[in-house]
Amino acid sequence: MTLAVFPGSFDPLTNGHLDLIQRASRLFDQLIVVVGQNTSKASVFTPAERVAFIEASVQDLVNVQVRIEAGLTVDFMKQVHATALVRGLRNATDFEYEQGIAGMNRALAPEIETVCLLADGRYQFVSSSLLKEVAKFGGDLSKLVPPAVATALVDRLESGRTRD
C-alpha cells in the first residue's frame, strides 16, 4: 500500500488545495492531509478549524484522512510509514521553493520521494494573501474557496480576529 502525505497550512483551504487532494487521492492508496503551522505568518483559522473545513470538503474521498501535526514533515512521515510527499506547484517561484525543501527532505529521509503536482490553471494565481485581501474588501470568493470557507473568512476578517 502506498501512503502519501500532503502537508500545508491550508489557511485558508482553497479550491486549488482541494483539486490537488482529489488528484493525489487517485494516485495513492492512502493520503494524509497534514495541517501544519506557518510560523512566519499569523493564522486566520485555528488548526482545528482548518481540519474541519478539509474534512467537510473531502468526506467523499474514503482514502483521505486529515491530521494536525507540528514538527518536521519527514519525521511524521516516518512515524506513519509514508513514502511519498505531495506538493503543489503554481509557478516557477513555487518550483524553486519546493526544490529546496525537497533537497532538505531527501537529506533527512532519503527513502521519502517528493511528488509535485502542477496546479490547475484555474487556481495558479490563488494565494492565501490574495484571498485574504479579496475577502477583506468584499470580493467574490465563490470560485476560489469552498462556500463554508468563504463565509468564515469574511466573518473572521470583518471581526479583525486572527488565530495562532
Side-chain angles (χ1 to χ4, degrees):
M1 179 177 81
T2 306
L3 174 60
V5 168
F6 180 33
S9 60
F10 306 104
D11 189 45
L13 175 68
T14 71
N15 289 344
H17 293 134
L18 289 176
D19 177 63
L20 293 170
I21 292 167
Q22 292 164 350
R23 290 165 49 203
S25 76
R26 293 191 301 265
L27 295 174
F28 301 101
D29 297 317
Q30 291 287 314
L31 177 68
I32 302 174
V33 179
V34 175
V35 173
Q37 179 69 35
N38 185 335
T39 56
S40 64
K41 296 180 182 179
S43 300
V44 174
F45 298 111
T46 67
E49 289 171 320
R50 290 180 261 156
V51 166
F53 289 135
I54 297 167
E55 286 178 338
S57 299
V58 301
Q59 60 188 338
D60 60 323
L61 302 175
V62 296
N63 65 332
V64 175
Q65 56 181 288
V66 186
R67 300 259 304 263
I68 298 171
E69 289 296 327
L72 293 175
T73 300
V74 292
D75 289 342
F76 170 75
M77 292 180 69
K78 289 176 185 178
Q79 290 171 8
V80 298
H81 306 289
T83 57
L85 175 65
V86 176
R87 300 300 294 161
L89 299 177
R90 294 172 296 176
N91 51 42
T93 302
D94 280 358
F95 175 79
E96 289 183 12
Y97 176 74
E98 294 297 341
Q99 185 179 31
I101 292 173
M104 179 59 74
N105 287 339
R106 181 163 291 285
L108 295 171
E111 69 278 10
I112 294 172
E113 192 64 49
T114 299
V115 177
C116 293
L117 299 177
L118 298 178
D120 184 300
R122 296 173 294 172
Y123 310 118
Q124 286 178 341
F125 63 92
V126 177
S127 70
S128 64
S129 56
L130 280 176
L131 287 174
K132 291 169 190 173
E133 208 50 29
V134 170
K136 188 175 183 177
F137 293 103
D140 181 12
L141 299 173
S142 64
K143 292 185 174 116
L144 306 175
V145 299
V149 173
T151 301
L153 185 58
V154 169
D155 290 348
R156 183 67 45 88
L157 293 176
E158 282 180 354
S159 72
R161 294 180 296 144
T162 58
R163 301 282 186 198
D164 285 323

